[in-house]
Amino acid sequence: MNKILVINGPNLNMLGIREPDIYGKQTYADLVEFVKQVGADVSVEVDCVQSNHEGVIVEAIQGALGKYDGIVINPAAYTHTSIAILDALKAVNLPAAEVHISNPWERDDFRRESYAGMACVYACAGLGFEGYACAIKFLVEYPNNPQQL
Ligand code: DQA
């Protein structure tokens, strides 16, 4: 695993401002710095994409094919609605890890379904930024042990 693409969905650019009691006080820029440092620690190059648009996220997933070895994705609200993101993850068939800063399964009923998660080999929720670190580290080990979860 040499290169991982970290994709963040809608409203995650508002981290630090957005519902800080749920998502914390750190910003999206802090998150990018954090995941790049985690990548450096495990000798993996990490690129980051954030978009508020479903189609841009679909295109980022499609564009990862041939360029990245794995995807970490927090589809944010699209987690619970987007079959297009699920299909894109299935189409590229790269190992993908789902991350949520909060734990959607402990919140509103409508957050309980994850479509993207159906195409992911790993999920982490409720650990804040640390979930991204867990996901990156999981993907780094995944080629050696694809059964682990
Ligand atoms: C989220 C959880 C989603 O339910 C929500 O819509 C988000 C963020 C999280 O990281 O906790 O925007 O994915």
Side-chain angles (χ1 to χ4, degrees):
M1 184 87 36
N2 296 317
K3 284 189 83 177
I4 291 176
L5 181 63
V6 176
I7 301 174
N8 280 289
N11 300 305
L12 291 168
N13 57 315
M14 297 290 284
L15 284 173
I17 297 167
R18 173 191 190 198
E19 299 178 274
D21 45 325
I22 296 176
Y23 299 110
K25 293 197 175 126
Q26 287 182 289
T27 65
Y28 177 70
D30 294 333
L31 176 59
V32 170
E33 194 184 326
F34 176 77
V35 295
K36 284 191 178 273
Q37 184 58 55
V38 171
D41 292 346
V42 294
S43 304
V44 167
E45 196 181 323
V46 173
D47 290 334
C48 297
V49 174
Q50 187 279 329
S51 179
N52 297 321
H53 302 277
E54 187 176 18
V56 173
I57 295 170
V58 167
E59 284 171 0
I61 295 167
Q62 291 177 0
L65 191 59
K67 291 200 189 114
Y68 294 91
D69 307 300
I71 294 173
V72 172
I73 186 162
N74 181 348
Y78 289 139
T79 307
H80 320 298
T81 62
S82 181
I83 296 165
I85 290 174
L86 166 63
D87 285 348
L89 290 169
K90 284 183 165 176
V92 299
N93 200 27
L94 289 166
E98 174 186 15
V99 175
H100 300 283
I101 293 169
S102 70
N103 186 346
W105 289 276
E106 287 179 346
R107 296 175 60 193
D108 322 88
D109 284 354
F110 59 81
R111 295 185 201 274
R112 293 223 170 110
E113 191 71 85
S114 170
Y115 290 105
M118 294 173 193
C120 290
V121 294
Y122 178 84
C124 185
L127 295 186
F129 285 9
E130 198 54 38
Y132 293 84
C134 296
I136 290 167
K137 288 173 188 167
F138 181 92
L139 289 180
V140 167
E141 286 303 314
Y142 184 73
N144 308 324
N145 186 8
Q147 274 81 40
Q148 64 169 331
L149 193 53

